[in-house]
Amino acid sequence: MHRSVRRVDLLHDLHGLAGEGVSERLDAIVLRQVDVGEADRIVSLLTASRGRIDVRVPGVRKSRKRFGGLDLYVRAEVELALGRGKSRLSSMRILDDHVGIRSDVERLALAGYAAELMLQCVAEDQEAEQPFRLACSAFQSLGGASADAPGGQGWARAFELKLLHVLGNRPILRRCASCDGPLDPDRLAWSLQAGGVLSGDCREDDPVASRIAPSLAGQLDRALRLPLARQGELEWSRRDEVEARHVMAHFVAEHVGPRDRARRFLEQVLQPNSTLGLAALLGVVLLVTAGPLACLPGDDAAGVRVQGYLYDTLEPQDDEEPISGAEVTAWADDGRLLVEGAEHSRYVGFYRVSDLAPETAVHLEFESPSDQWLSTVLSGRTASNDLWVEPGVFHLIPRDSYDSDVQAWVEVLAPDASLKSTWGDVQHPGEGGAVFGQLLNPEDHLGLRLSFVDSDDVARAAVYTDAEGLPSRALGITEHGGFAVFGLAPGPAHVFLTELDGTSSGRSFVTRISEGGVTSLSGFEVL
Ligand SMILES: [Zn+2]
């Protein structure tokens, strides 16, 4: 069906030296479109010979006559005029419009997800024969006339595995990734560090590996080997599906890059039950560092562990040293002490809190080992099985950055009469506890505000940061959505989302305020 288009090598070799008038013909797939100027559009193309190319399409939004069919996920033969700066599209011919992708929202979400991953891992002006072929079969399998369902989450896992395969980072699924021994189905775990499945004693030797269902490795292996067009035939158990989503999210984030926008859309579309609970709603409201979905349903419901490394930044670099020597205390919503002085591991900076109830709200206080940091409380929910948190989700706030942040907030708060008259006197931020956080999708909550009611029943409104991340005088949530609230009494505090006139939006949750510490609502909740 597709005529292969051979690029003109001479012209390709001239690329870079090329002036106006030199052109190149390529077989390409449209991965992204961004409107620019009054009528133009930049399209990001995936090609076999030159990887990703961003091309300007002139006039396409005024008249669809010349380039009108060049929509998302379409495969086309394009002719590019090469010049200094961005190439321009001079002519094109549609090879396959993959029209089926637009026939339902699941196909659209899967295509968007695949395109997002491709954009992350394919470099500009580098040969990408294998990724291009994978993209062709992916969009063909989603865009064909077949009425069969493409396979939902299973399709997404298969695409991730095949992409990792062509990138040379395929997870090890058939042997133990550590010792190369055979797999013992009853003693399996997944290790990002080891690069796949661990079995037997290797599982016990790695404290951060998460246990997986006996059938998961085999199921992922089958998904990897089955063509994308046939993924709908593969049956997934609910447990395999949820665990696969979790382990692959870590693997893809590590080897391809984070891709949260498309993944969130995918999760919403493929959500098994459409009624979202309160907790899920709050998970959407509050950020919550970009973590994967991490609900592993286990056989044993009790004794969930939450574990990860402790850093002093939310986005630690690869070579960043984690912080060791902190003490961890866990509290329930109602103020009950759950775990005190949680265990450390022989791994420097690694923390684990065990024996927590599954799917409940908990508040972890990391007591700073020195005055370089402030003790920090994190609020979140446990999963239904062990929860491994993303790097930076466990974090201590450095005293230096806190002091400079507070200075900035004070200058804005002190003269703000409107805050005082509505919500009582704003204390000096140095008194009582403080909460910092960042809303997820703040644009969805413009005009609402967050209010906090502490254990003394004193209500305080959060103040927000603007698009530059600077403290804002705005009362309602700004498009940036960063917030802070000061002067709260220690103990549990209720957080409400309210309209500007004070009426409740019906959403609330509990966090915990610590005396002389900071509560960070960039916690480990990953719903
Ligand atoms: Zn082993």
Side-chain angles (χ1 to χ4, degrees):
M1 176 159 73
H2 303 295
R3 192 171 70 82
S4 75
V5 179
R6 204 175 66 81
R7 68 179 161 77
V8 183
D9 283 314
L10 176 64
L11 293 181
H12 184 252
D13 293 339
L14 283 171
H15 178 66
L17 302 169
E20 295 300 326
V22 179
S23 69
E24 180 173 21
R25 208 173 272 266
L26 293 162
D27 188 350
I29 288 181
V30 178
L31 293 184
R32 182 163 67 193
Q33 301 178 324
V34 179
D35 291 344
V36 290
E38 294 215 337
D40 295 359
R41 180 172 283 164
I42 304 284
V43 296
S44 299
L45 300 174
L46 177 66
T47 68
S49 57
R50 286 183 47 199
R52 174 185 155 190
I53 315 174
D54 291 343
V55 175
R56 192 169 188 114
V57 186
V60 64
R61 282 151 58 219
K62 275 221 174 97
S63 159
R64 288 183 60 84
K65 228 159 54 191
R66 273 178 83 201
F67 303 127
L70 196 66
D71 294 319
L72 274 178
Y73 319 131
V74 157
R75 182 172 175 184
E77 182 190 77
V78 297
E79 189 176 350
L80 307 180
L82 307 177
R84 295 181 214 294
K86 239 171 220 29
S87 302
R88 287 164 66 92
L89 184 68
S90 50
S91 74
M92 63 114 193
R93 186 168 65 86
I94 303 294
L95 298 175
D96 192 335
D97 60 9
H98 298 140
V99 69
I101 291 176
R102 283 172 285 281
S103 68
D104 74 55
V105 69
E106 177 183 344
R107 288 163 192 267
L108 205 57
L110 289 169
Y113 182 64
E116 194 71 41
L117 287 186
M118 287 286 179
L119 284 166
Q120 294 245 0
C121 67
V122 176
E124 285 183 68
D125 257 320
Q126 272 179 26
E127 181 273 327
E129 176 80 34
Q130 295 278 329
F132 179 74
R133 280 169 52 181
L134 176 61
C136 289
S137 56
F139 294 122
Q140 222 178 330
S141 84
L142 295 172
S146 161
D148 298 337
Q153 291 285 3
W155 191 99
R157 297 300 82 78
F159 180 81
E160 291 165 349
L161 287 162
K162 288 166 191 282
L163 181 62
L164 288 162
H165 173 66
V166 304
L167 296 174
N169 289 318
R170 190 176 89 193
I172 296 162
L173 300 169
R174 292 185 162 187
R175 314 278 298 175
C176 174
S178 175
C179 71
D180 203 35
L183 299 185
D184 172 357
D186 295 324
R187 296 172 69 203
L188 296 180
W190 182 272
S191 167
L192 181 62
Q193 284 77 8
V197 177
L198 295 181
S199 180
D201 292 343
C202 296
R203 176 178 83 165
E204 321 306 333
D205 288 346
D206 187 339
V208 303
S210 42
R211 290 165 189 225
I212 55 172
S215 52
L216 184 66
Q219 181 73 4
L220 287 171
D221 195 49
R222 282 188 288 279
L224 170 67
R225 281 152 216 284
L226 193 68
L228 285 168
R230 291 179 50 202
Q231 290 293 327
E233 300 169 17
L234 198 57
E235 299 264 339
W236 286 76
S237 71
R238 176 79 186 126
R239 180 172 178 192
D240 278 350
E241 184 185 306
V242 173
E243 289 196 8
R245 199 164 64 190
H246 171 67
V247 299
M248 289 303 295
H250 287 286
F251 218 86
V252 169
E254 177 81 9
H255 295 291
V256 180
R259 67 294 177 236
D260 292 298
R261 187 179 289 271
R263 195 203 65 215
R264 273 204 297 273
F265 181 57
L266 184 69
E267 301 302 348
Q268 280 163 17
V269 168
L270 301 179
Q271 180 75 241
N273 31 352
S274 52
T275 46
L276 295 171
L278 174 66
L281 271 174
L282 289 170
V284 175
V285 171
L286 284 173
L287 176 84
V288 212
T289 310
L293 290 179
C295 309
L296 297 187
D299 292 325
D300 52 336
V304 167
R305 299 180 298 184
V306 178
Q307 54 192 345
Y309 288 91
L310 178 68
Y311 291 94
D312 67 358
T313 50
L314 286 170
E315 291 171 0
Q317 304 301 304
D318 281 347
D319 56 353
E320 200 163 316
E321 282 289 307
I323 300 167
S324 55
E327 292 286 329
V328 193
T329 304
W331 307 84
D333 259 8
D334 58 12
R336 262 178 314 126
L337 184 65
L338 296 174
V339 179
E340 194 166 15
E343 67 192 279
H344 298 248
S345 116
R346 60 197 165 91
Y347 288 72
V348 170
F350 180 76
Y351 296 84
R352 170 190 291 165
V353 185
S354 302
D355 295 324
L356 295 169
E359 295 177 344
T360 54
V362 290
H363 313 282
L364 301 183
E365 177 167 357
F366 287 88
E367 195 179 312
S368 171
S370 84
D371 60 9
Q372 191 180 346
W373 303 282
L374 286 155
S375 294
T376 302
V377 178
L378 307 170
S379 289
R381 278 177 80 81
T382 59
S384 52
N385 201 334
D386 294 351
L387 173 63
W388 159 258
V389 299
E390 292 286 285
V393 170
F394 282 175
H395 56 272
L396 287 175
I397 293 179
R399 186 174 292 274
D400 284 355
S401 72
Y402 176 79
D403 288 346
S404 62
D405 280 351
V406 164
Q407 195 54 45
W409 287 106
V410 170
E411 284 163 16
V412 169
L413 284 174
D416 195 331
S418 58
L419 274 177
K420 284 185 183 176
S421 59
T422 313
W423 294 94
D425 287 343
V426 176
Q427 295 182 11
H428 185 281
E431 298 167 25
V435 179
F436 285 129
Q438 172 95 40
L439 290 167
L440 184 63
N441 301 331
E443 65 277 13
D444 295 345
H445 311 292
L446 289 175
L448 292 171
R449 59 198 307 195
L450 278 172
S451 58
F452 289 70
V453 178
D454 66 17
S455 56
D456 289 347
D457 272 339
V458 176
R460 296 193 187 283
V463 284
Y464 300 94
T465 51
D466 63 17
E468 263 72 59
L470 300 169
S472 158
R473 285 166 191 273
L475 282 177
I477 289 168
T478 67
E479 73 258 46
H480 184 255
F483 65 87
V485 59
F486 301 99
L488 295 160
H494 291 264
V495 187
F496 299 91
L497 257 180
T498 55
E499 307 286 347
L500 281 180
D501 64 7
T503 54
S504 168
S505 75
R507 303 178 202 167
S508 71
F509 66 101
V510 177
T511 187
R512 190 174 173 82
I513 309 302
S514 120
E515 180 86 68
V518 180
T519 296
S520 170
L521 288 179
S522 303
F524 57 88
E525 182 162 19
V526 285
L527 287 165

